[in-house]
């Protein structure tokens, strides 16, 4: 597990714990979307369906990977 500090919406500091694999994919997705990690996590936070930001990030990464797999078919 890796703990990272992020700033949500440019004003709210928090930290999340993610497995290295999820963090790696999250950073890759941010690059693809031309967003900073903070911007992407702000978007995830805004649209989350759970109170747990780490869980919301994992679900987001899973959805993105599934979409990328579908796009390859």
């Amino acid at each position: 597990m890796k703990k990272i500090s992020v700033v949500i919406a440019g004003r709210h500091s928090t930290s999340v714990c993610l497995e290295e694999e999820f963090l790696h994919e999250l950073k890759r997705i941010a690059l693809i979307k031309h967003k900073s990690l903070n911007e992407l996590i702000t978007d995830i936070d805004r649209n989350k369906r759970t109170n747990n930001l780490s869980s919301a990030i994992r679900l987001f990464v899973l959805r993105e990977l599934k979409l990328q797999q579908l796009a390859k078919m």
Side-chain angles (χ1 to χ4, degrees):
M1 295 287 272
K2 176 117 182 183
K3 188 174 194 174
I4 60 167
S5 297
V6 295
V7 178
I8 297 174
R11 57 181 158 65
H12 175 72
S13 294
T14 191
S15 60
V16 293
C17 288
L18 293 171
E19 294 80 3
E20 290 282 341
E21 295 85 357
F22 279 103
L23 183 56
H24 173 79
E25 289 301 321
L26 185 65
K27 288 178 178 179
R28 189 182 64 78
I29 293 166
L31 283 173
I32 290 169
K33 293 182 176 281
H34 305 288
K35 293 186 174 193
S36 71
L37 200 54
N38 285 334
E39 289 171 325
L40 184 58
I41 292 174
T42 295
D43 291 346
I44 294 167
D45 183 63
R46 224 180 259 130
N47 298 307
K48 73 182 188 284
R49 295 183 181 130
T50 176
N51 287 333
N52 186 300
L53 182 56
S54 295
S55 293
I57 291 170
R58 287 184 193 94
L59 291 171
F60 171 82
V61 169
L62 180 62
R63 281 192 301 273
E64 286 293 316
L65 291 173
K66 284 182 175 182
L67 287 172
Q68 289 172 14
Q69 279 297 109
L70 286 174
K72 290 180 181 178
M73 298 178 132

